């Protein structure tokens, strides 16, 4: 704590007074011990020289000039002599002072102590501090210095009194100041320690805030990274639109669907994201029919709203749109739009629709024919006319019935395949016999000839009924789709563990770009060519059956030269 100016001034005054007192004491001591012969005293008339020895007069003048009080006491403590300085100190006229008992001038409290001091001074030079009382009852602190003197007129006690009032005052002020200083120091210390505690607490608080902030920032950053990686990898397109429908963010999937780069897609209107929009019925979509427009007008989310777009690569894509308005509190700030490419889903739906129409057509044709045969048969039975047509009508009815049964079988097989692997009943069979028996069933009433070559004795390990199904389908297809072919050639060859059976026709063949899809479900090379019946399931089922046997069904075809379908099945050696 810094000392005040006043405090410093007091301390200086105090030390000056103390120094003066010490000087005065020294002088007195020197005078008493006879160390000084003469004194130069500064009076009102300038400096004066006083000789001490043998000059009583001079001595008295000196005593008068002293700033200290000087007394001489007799053995009863009566004042024999006083200088005027002492009288002045007490405010009592000098003539009254002389003759007074010294003890009467001492305060009541210090009187007995003063007497003790004075009593002891007759034997030993003494110095003490005590308080006198002036004529108005004020207490004056003095230092007294006593020495017994052997004078001509007998023993007396010389007393020199130094007024300590100023000293005491400055001392007490100093004490007060010191106390105040101490209190201030304590307060400062307390404040300091409070401050330290507060600073420490604040620092800890700050540190923990910073730690919390850092932790929150880390969580936010990792959430942001997670969100960004989700947005970048999600299979759905996502666009954020502002209040006027312009794109402010689009994830990579959205860019891909619309065939626009990250820069190109920004600030495009939802309606110009694509080059054209269509409804599912194929009509051009107006802006007011767009799901984002509808959502903005109603301020309600839209879900699974499907439209077709033509993107900037001129590709047609079906998208299903979900859109929802974004709010900051009550304020509408934009739109979040997610969309999925549902082209495949649409295609399957189209295929299903088409399949149903094909299937109903396929079933209806033999059924109509069957119905006609049955009606004719009924008429023949009723009228007994044209009974010679009966066998032909029955054969026709049977053939149409077989077609319906075949279609129903195909459908049932597909549903079986869908619900798990086909169960197989494996047995050893002669492959050539199997081929011949199937060919007989199919080719009997046709002009087409079967030519069979290769390993006629080869035994295979197969589910006979299933392999018959494959062969029947291949022969039927050759008849249906290679009707120009007069022969069907079957070659049986033996591999190490598998037998290979190839069914070759010499028909129109299949365009190379169609070959890859031939074994797909519902696939027909020329679905519009309704001259032949079929659901696009025969090769799909055959492929599944061969795969279940651990073999392979493949096709080679040269357009205009015919096709060869080959399959492999396990031989006995495969056991
Ligand atoms: P479907 O049951 O409708 O006959 P498939 O799955 O058996 O269907 O055959 C699929 C398609 O493969 C047919 O639509 C046909 O166009 C083509 N195809 C099959 N076999 C032959 C073949 N031998 N010659 C030419 N095209 C064929």
């Amino acid at each position: 704590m810094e000392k005040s100016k006043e405090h410093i001034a007091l301390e200086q005054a105090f030390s000056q007074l103390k120094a003066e007192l010490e000087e005065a004491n020294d002088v007195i001591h020197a005078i008493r011990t006879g160390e000084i012969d003469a004194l130069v005293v500064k009076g009102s008339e300038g400096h004066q020289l006083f000789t001490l020895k043998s000059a009583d007069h001079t001595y008295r003048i000196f005593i008068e000039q002293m700033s200290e009080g000087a007394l001489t006491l007799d053995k009863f403590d009566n004042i024999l002599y006083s200088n005027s300085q002492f009288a002045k100190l007490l405010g009592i006229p000098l003539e009254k002072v002389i003759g007074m008992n010294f003890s009467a001038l001492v305060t009541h409290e210090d009187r007995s102590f003063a007497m003790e001091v004075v009593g002891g001074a007759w034997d030993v030079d003494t110095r003490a501090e005590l308080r006198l009382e002036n004529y108005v009852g004020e207490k004056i602190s003095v230092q007294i210095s006593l020495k017994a003197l052997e004078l001509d007129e007998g023993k007396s006690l010389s007393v020199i009194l130094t007024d300590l009032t100023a000293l005491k005052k400055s001392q007490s002020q100093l004490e007060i100041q010191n106390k105040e200083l101490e209190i201030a120091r304590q307060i400062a210390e307390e404040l300091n320690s409070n401050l330290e505690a507060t600073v420490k607490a604040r620092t800890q608080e700050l540190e923990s805030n910073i730690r919390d902030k850092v932790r929150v920032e880390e969580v936010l950053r990792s959430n942001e990274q997670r969100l960004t990686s989700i947005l970048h990898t999600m299979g759905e397109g996502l666009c954020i639109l502002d209040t006027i429908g312009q794109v402010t963010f689009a994830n990579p999937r959205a860019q891909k669907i619309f065939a626009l780069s990250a820069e190109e897609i920004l600030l495009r209107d939802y309606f110009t994201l694509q080059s054209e929009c269509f409804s599912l019925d194929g009509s051009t979509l107006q802006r007011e029919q767009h799901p984002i427009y509808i959502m903005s007008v109603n301020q309600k989310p839209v879900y699974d709203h499907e439209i077709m777009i033509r993107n900037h690569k001129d590709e047609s894509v079906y998208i299903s749109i979900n859109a929802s308005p974004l709010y900051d509190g009550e304020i509408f700030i934009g739109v979040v739009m997610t969309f999925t490419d549902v082209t495949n889903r649409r295609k399957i739906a189209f295929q299903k629709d088409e399949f149903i129409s094909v299937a109903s057509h396929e079933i209806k044709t033999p059924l109509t024919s069957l119905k006609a045969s049955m009606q004719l048969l009924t008429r023949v039975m009723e009228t007994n006319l044209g009974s010679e047509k009966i066998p032909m009508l029955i054969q026709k009815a049977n053939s149409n019935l077989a077609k319906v049964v075949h279609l129903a079988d195909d459908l049932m097989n597909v549903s079986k395949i869908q619900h798990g692997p086909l169960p197989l009943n494996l047995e050893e069979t002669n492959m050539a016999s199997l081929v011949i028996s199937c060919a007989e069933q199919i080719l009997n009433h046709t002009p087409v000839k079967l030519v069979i070559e290769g390993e006629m004795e080869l035994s295979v390990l197969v589910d006979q009924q299933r392999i018959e199904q494959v062969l029947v389908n291949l022969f039927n297809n050759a008849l249906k789709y290679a009707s120009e072919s007069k022969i069907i050639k079957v070659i049986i060859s033996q591999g190490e563990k598998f037998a290979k059976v190839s069914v070759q026709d010499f028909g129109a063949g299949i365009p190379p770009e169609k070959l890859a899809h031939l074994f797909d479900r519902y696939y027909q090379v020329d679905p519009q060519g309704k001259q032949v019946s079929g659901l696009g399931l025969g090769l799909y089922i055959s492929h599944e059956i061969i795969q279940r046997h651990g073999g392979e069904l493949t096709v080679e075809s040269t357009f205009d030269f015919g096709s060869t379908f080959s399959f492999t099945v396990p031989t006995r050696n495969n056991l």
Side-chain angles (χ1 to χ4, degrees):
M1 177 95 193
E2 255 187 68
K3 293 173 180 180
S4 69
K5 274 185 190 167
E6 195 188 347
H7 186 91
I8 294 166
L10 274 170
E11 269 187 344
Q12 282 170 352
F14 178 70
S15 48
Q16 199 184 328
L17 283 167
K18 222 168 153 188
E20 277 173 18
L21 181 67
E22 265 161 29
E23 195 187 49
N25 279 335
D26 288 348
V27 170
I28 293 161
H29 182 75
I31 294 168
R32 276 187 185 141
T33 52
E35 288 167 17
I36 293 170
D37 293 336
L39 286 167
V40 177
V41 175
K42 194 177 172 211
S44 50
E45 290 143 25
H47 288 95
Q48 283 181 279
L49 178 70
F50 296 97
T51 43
L52 298 181
K53 278 186 183 167
S54 72
D56 183 52
H57 177 69
T58 319
Y59 172 72
R60 280 180 187 279
I61 291 172
F62 162 66
I63 297 291
E64 276 310 308
Q65 296 290 330
M66 276 169 59
S67 53
E68 286 82 10
L71 300 176
T72 313
L73 303 183
D74 67 8
K75 57 183 174 183
F76 303 108
D77 305 336
N78 294 322
I79 299 170
L80 297 176
Y81 166 76
S82 162
N83 67 356
S84 49
Q85 194 59 33
F86 181 70
K88 217 164 144 192
L89 182 71
L90 294 174
I92 303 171
L94 181 61
E95 57 277 15
K96 278 200 177 167
V97 172
I98 293 169
M100 277 182 84
N101 192 282
F102 179 68
S103 64
L105 298 171
V106 178
T107 57
H108 175 70
E109 300 85 20
D110 290 353
R111 197 161 295 158
S112 59
F113 167 68
M115 291 307 96
E116 239 174 74
V117 171
V118 172
W122 290 102
D123 303 320
V124 182
D125 291 358
T126 310
R127 194 177 289 185
E129 256 183 57
L130 50 82
R131 281 168 300 171
L132 303 180
E133 208 172 289
N134 70 8
Y135 85 108
V136 283
E138 282 170 352
K139 289 171 179 143
I140 302 156
S141 288
V142 291
Q143 189 191 65
I144 55 171
S145 183
L146 303 110
K147 185 177 173 68
L149 296 173
E150 278 298 342
L151 299 177
D152 297 341
E153 53 268 34
K155 254 187 161 186
S156 65
L157 206 56
S158 134
V159 183
I160 303 293
L161 299 102
T162 310
D163 184 358
L164 296 179
T165 311
L167 192 73
K168 286 279 165 196
K169 203 176 164 194
S170 77
Q171 208 172 16
S172 85
Q173 270 181 7
L174 206 61
E175 265 165 30
I176 291 167
Q177 290 267 324
N178 271 339
K179 269 184 198 155
E180 281 174 1
L181 208 63
E182 178 57 21
I183 290 167
R185 195 193 58 77
Q186 279 173 5
I187 291 170
E189 206 167 82
E190 210 172 298
L191 279 177
N192 200 28
S193 77
N194 280 349
L195 198 68
E196 265 175 31
T198 312
V199 167
K200 212 169 161 188
R202 286 285 135 78
T203 311
Q204 279 173 352
E205 214 173 281
L206 208 68
E207 277 171 0
S208 112
N209 279 350
I210 290 170
R211 272 200 300 276
D212 284 354
K213 238 183 171 172
V214 168
R215 220 171 297 131
V216 167
E217 264 173 23
E218 274 168 10
V219 170
L220 279 179
R221 205 171 309 125
S222 92
N223 278 350
E224 197 181 308
Q225 279 169 356
R226 214 172 303 151
L227 200 68
T228 311
S229 84
I230 290 171
L231 290 177
H232 275 71
T233 52
M234 67 194 264
E236 280 192 312
L238 182 136
C239 287
I240 309 281
L241 311 176
D242 62 14
T243 48
I244 55 165
Q246 285 182 334
V247 179
T248 55
F249 172 82
N251 73 348
R253 183 75 185 136
Q255 296 161 24
K256 188 149 192 272
I257 290 174
F258 293 113
L260 289 168
S261 70
E263 295 77 40
E264 286 168 338
I265 203 164
L266 288 182
L267 294 182
R268 266 181 191 266
D269 176 38
Y270 65 88
F271 206 64
T272 55
L273 270 173
Q274 54 280 307
S275 54
E276 265 184 291
C277 283
F278 302 92
S279 305
L280 291 185
D281 61 10
S283 61
T284 305
L285 196 83
Q286 303 305 315
R287 183 178 272 270
E288 307 76 61
Q289 295 170 302
H290 194 283
I292 298 296
Y293 183 92
I294 296 168
M295 187 231 72
S296 303
V297 170
N298 299 335
Q299 289 288 297
K300 274 187 187 148
V302 287
Y303 298 107
D304 200 12
H305 193 125
E306 212 172 305
I307 61 169
M308 203 262 268
I309 58 154
R310 182 122 45 237
N311 71 14
H312 293 273
K313 265 196 200 156
D314 214 22
E315 297 163 329
S316 297
V317 187
Y318 285 90
I319 55 172
S320 158
I321 299 177
N322 294 326
S324 182
L326 282 176
Y327 291 100
D328 183 4
E330 303 261 289
I331 304 159
F332 171 62
I333 54 161
V335 175
V336 60
M337 161 169 107
T338 59
F339 44 95
T340 324
D341 180 346
V342 291
T343 312
N344 277 339
R345 182 173 96 179
R346 244 317 103 197
K347 255 192 203 158
I348 290 168
F350 277 141
Q351 271 179 354
K352 271 204 172 143
D353 290 351
E354 208 172 83
F355 172 74
I356 288 165
S357 95
V358 171
S360 13
H361 174 79
E362 290 301 315
I363 291 167
K364 205 178 164 194
T365 313
L367 277 181
T368 315
S369 190
L370 185 64
K371 195 176 163 195
S373 302
M374 294 311 283
Q375 277 171 350
L376 275 173
L377 271 175
T378 314
R379 201 175 307 153
V380 170
M381 302 278 277
E382 281 168 2
T383 60
N384 271 337
L385 287 172
S387 57
E388 71 285 356
K389 288 182 185 163
I390 292 176
M392 184 273 286
L393 286 172
I394 290 177
Q395 195 265 320
K396 215 173 170 186
N398 271 334
S399 143
N400 281 314
L401 197 62
K403 276 186 188 164
V404 177
V405 170
H406 180 73
L407 288 169
D409 277 351
D410 271 3
L411 290 172
M412 273 172 64
N413 280 323
V414 170
S415 100
K416 265 190 200 157
I417 292 168
Q418 301 282 280
H419 291 98
L422 287 171
L424 294 183
N425 182 19
L426 297 179
E427 48 192 333
E428 244 186 277
T429 315
N430 178 274
M431 191 69 229
S433 315
L434 208 60
V435 171
I436 293 163
S437 89
C438 289
E440 273 172 1
Q441 283 178 52
I442 310 297
L443 307 176
N444 235 355
H445 303 287
T446 71
V448 180
K449 294 266 168 302
L450 172 77
V451 177
I452 181 162
E453 288 175 6
E455 308 285 332
M456 299 305 282
E457 303 306 321
L458 186 61
S459 269
V460 288
L461 193 65
V462 296
D463 183 319
Q464 216 173 302
Q465 272 191 332
R466 291 292 178 197
I467 296 301
E468 264 179 23
Q469 212 179 326
V470 173
L471 286 165
V472 165
N473 183 46
L474 294 179
F475 291 147
N476 261 330
N477 280 355
L479 285 183
K480 285 196 287 184
Y481 306 114
S483 51
E484 316 84 333
S485 186
K486 296 295 169 247
I487 56 166
I488 294 173
K489 195 170 167 183
V490 176
I491 305 160
I492 303 170
S493 57
Q494 185 176 7
E496 199 192 330
K497 288 190 169 179
F498 282 88
K500 184 177 180 185
V501 181
S502 300
V503 179
Q504 187 178 11
D505 66 56
F506 302 90
I510 302 160
E513 72 277 8
K514 310 272 180 176
L515 290 175
H517 306 288
L518 225 52
F519 305 124
D520 289 353
R521 202 157 33 131
Y522 312 125
Y523 187 78
Q524 289 181 304
V525 171
D526 181 16
Q528 262 67 50
K530 292 278 160 62
Q531 68 274 21
V532 285
S533 64
L535 296 173
L537 292 173
L539 286 178
Y540 167 72
I541 295 166
S542 301
H543 186 257
E544 292 293 316
I545 291 172
I546 298 299
Q547 269 202 332
R548 273 293 287 143
H549 281 81
E552 258 188 302
L553 175 64
T554 54
V555 58
E556 285 172 69
S557 186
T558 314
F559 201 43
D560 277 345
F561 284 95
S563 316
T564 304
F565 287 87
S566 304
F567 64 84
T568 54
V569 280
T571 58
R572 226 175 19 166
N573 302 342
N574 218 330
L575 277 176

